[in-house]
Amino acid sequence: MRPNNSVLFYGWIIALVSAFSLAVGGASRFSFGLFYVSILDEFSWSHAATAVAATAGALIYGFTAPAIGAVTDAFGPRIILPIGAVALGLGCLLASQVRSNTQLYVAYGIISLGTGAFSFAPQVAVISHWFQARRATASGVMFAGYGLGTLILVPLIQVLISTYSWRTAFVIFGLFSMITLIPLTAVLMRHRPQEMGLEPDGEGGHLLEGSERRKWLGLLTDNPGPILVVNQKWAACNWTLRHAAGTGRFWLVALGNGCVGITIYILTVHQAAHMVSVGYNALFAASIIGVWGLVRAGGSLFGGVMSDHWGREQSYTLSVSLSILGILILLAVSDPTRPWMLYLYAILLGLGTGISTPTGGALVADIFQGSSIATILGALEMFLGLGGAIGSWLGGYIFDVSTSYQLGFIIAIASLGVSCLAFWGAAPRRIRMVGQAARVRAPLER
């Protein structure tokens, strides 16, 4: 049982450690666009051929996600996360020595194995064990790490590239990843609260009311309202991957994830190259990505709280709307005379992607809750990797044949729209209602 006089529920420590690991893992992913520009300059490879490194990484990330999820379910995060840190660090060291396309593909494949350990599936799975009533809020704290990593580490990587070289930047980042992540995750992470004699924060039965309020922690502990189980038969199931894959909801979420992967990889791989192609320098492009990260961190915190209070589908719709507005502004940037447009793009996209990540994780956990949640999340993450493989290559190919990223960004917008429709179709609200909707309906259920 959780002591009534405890100062801070240990689940928040878990969320903060996860946030730092996502900051490092996210920086390795979002900095590819910066290395991409420098590698193109040195080797004069085609955009599509160089972007295949991200495609290879996305494929490995996707196809290994189910196995990483299964290992997390079986052995917990204290095993998989340090191993991931080793793979990330070694991959960066190998990337610093590449002389050919093939070597670059192999190096990014190993990096992607590492970032897979710090990815959506294992992190959300652990959070889902520790939190019930504030699942999306805790996920928002965790996924704020993505934004902070993009804000702080990505511009620092560009400074290292500009000051020394892209090879030196890989070495420094690889060593930093291993030195920080291995001891932090091995010592502080725990799989389930029961390992420490605690209960999930907010667990209380059919109508989950949340734990006591602590005003000094504000929104992190302010009760967002009940979680109301609407579909008793569905919610009572201890979902396995095989069982989940036999449902339409699984495939709708898979479709949504694949579309998100297309959008995110088109942007993360090619946005810096687009800014450079219209006349901005690489350091300015890195600063724009940093602004995106700053806003994304705040968006994750806000989005997690909003999702617990407002609902999964509604929150995701807002995130898609903001992201599409941002990409439309990026589409309108054709010369270096209006830098304010790129700042506005970063703000809108940061809010949109910040809101979507904790909402998406809570959405899956609401539908397929059970002891195999990491395995299910990993299988669904595979489709994000497949979408990412398509998006990263497609953006480069479109530029090679048209010398423009315009069509690629239009495809990114369309993919987001499809993902929104797919997540509404999955309808987590018809299994578990959260926040205000559950509060209104709760008296009727009693």
Side-chain angles (χ1 to χ4, degrees):
M1 295 291 292
R2 178 184 172 185
N4 289 331
N5 60 352
S6 61
V7 175
L8 179 66
F9 179 49
Y10 194 80
W12 296 113
I13 304 298
I14 299 294
L16 290 173
V17 173
S18 294
F20 180 80
S21 65
L22 286 174
V24 178
S28 71
R29 182 182 302 176
F30 299 135
S31 64
F32 176 81
L34 306 179
F35 289 109
Y36 179 68
V37 172
S38 298
I39 291 170
L40 285 172
D41 285 342
E42 178 168 332
F43 293 108
S44 299
W45 297 332
S46 74
H47 284 68
T50 309
V52 167
T55 297
L59 286 173
I60 291 173
Y61 171 85
F63 283 120
T64 59
I68 289 173
V71 171
T72 304
D73 280 332
F75 301 106
R78 298 175 76 183
I79 299 295
I80 193 65
L81 296 184
I83 293 174
V86 172
L88 173 57
L90 291 179
C92 288
L93 295 178
L94 288 173
S96 72
Q97 304 301 312
V98 301
R99 294 291 187 276
S100 69
N101 271 334
T102 301
Q103 292 174 344
L104 182 65
Y105 303 159
V106 171
Y108 259 92
I110 297 173
I111 289 172
S112 295
L113 282 174
T115 56
F118 298 99
S119 67
F120 190 89
Q123 305 282 11
V124 170
V126 173
I127 288 294
S128 74
H129 290 312
W130 280 88
F131 291 91
Q132 295 283 331
R134 298 178 182 84
R135 178 174 290 153
T137 302
S139 296
V141 172
M142 177 179 68
F143 283 116
Y146 265 145
L148 292 175
T150 308
L151 167 67
I152 298 169
L153 296 178
V154 171
L156 282 177
I157 289 171
Q158 181 58 54
V159 170
L160 291 172
I161 292 172
S162 301
T163 304
Y164 302 103
S165 70
W166 61 270
R167 297 181 186 277
T168 301
F170 266 128
V171 171
I172 294 174
F173 183 73
L175 293 175
F176 169 79
S177 300
M178 289 190 287
I179 291 170
T180 57
L181 289 175
I182 292 173
L184 190 67
T185 57
V187 172
L188 294 180
M189 288 299 290
R190 297 292 188 277
H191 195 190
R192 293 180 173 87
Q194 291 81 4
E195 295 175 13
M196 302 181 69
L198 302 172
E199 289 184 354
D201 189 27
E203 185 173 303
H206 167 59
L207 187 62
L208 301 178
E209 299 289 351
S211 52
E212 71 275 9
R213 299 186 181 196
R214 296 183 181 276
K215 294 181 180 179
W216 62 280
L217 283 177
L219 287 172
L220 294 184
T221 54
D222 186 24
N223 190 351
I227 295 178
L228 179 64
V229 176
V230 178
N231 188 328
Q232 292 285 340
K233 182 178 180 180
W234 186 288
C237 181
N238 183 17
W239 289 93
T240 64
L241 175 58
R242 182 177 180 179
H243 190 188
T247 68
R249 283 189 167 98
F250 178 91
W251 294 104
L252 283 168
V253 176
L255 172 62
N257 277 4
C259 291
V260 170
I262 290 172
T263 298
I264 291 299
Y265 274 79
I266 285 176
L267 293 175
T268 56
V269 173
H270 300 289
Q271 61 183 344
H274 171 67
M275 295 177 212
V276 171
S277 72
V278 299
Y280 293 98
N281 63 50
L283 190 57
F284 177 79
S287 72
I288 292 297
I289 297 172
V291 172
W292 173 27
L294 172 63
V295 180
R296 179 173 181 166
S300 293
L301 293 171
F302 170 71
V305 173
M306 182 178 66
S307 180
D308 281 336
H309 283 78
W310 192 20
R312 312 306 186 206
E313 296 96 327
Q314 295 88 342
S315 298
Y316 189 76
T317 302
L318 176 61
S319 78
V320 166
S321 300
L322 292 169
S323 297
I324 287 176
L325 284 175
I327 300 170
L328 286 171
I329 291 172
L330 183 64
L331 269 168
V333 175
S334 58
D335 58 61
T337 61
R338 293 172 291 178
W340 64 267
M341 293 181 67
L342 288 174
Y343 284 109
L344 184 57
Y345 153 74
I347 291 169
L348 290 170
L349 188 69
L351 284 172
T353 54
I355 293 169
S356 70
T357 313
T359 298
L363 178 150
V364 176
D366 285 352
I367 297 174
F368 296 114
Q369 193 166 310
S371 59
S372 298
I373 183 63
T375 306
I376 295 169
L377 283 162
L380 290 169
E381 195 75 350
M382 177 177 68
F383 294 94
L384 186 141
L386 293 174
I390 294 169
S392 55
W393 172 82
L394 184 61
Y397 175 78
I398 288 171
F399 186 90
D400 284 338
V401 299
S402 67
T403 67
S404 170
Y405 286 111
Q406 298 288 309
L407 178 57
F409 295 148
I410 291 171
I411 291 172
I413 289 172
S415 296
L416 277 182
V418 174
S419 76
C420 190
L421 293 175
F423 289 153
W424 272 95
R429 69 193 181 281
R430 294 178 181 169
I431 299 169
R432 290 178 172 86
M433 282 189 174
V434 300
Q436 185 58 33
R439 193 190 304 275
V440 170
R441 183 163 172 174
L444 301 177
E445 294 294 317
R446 293 181 190 277

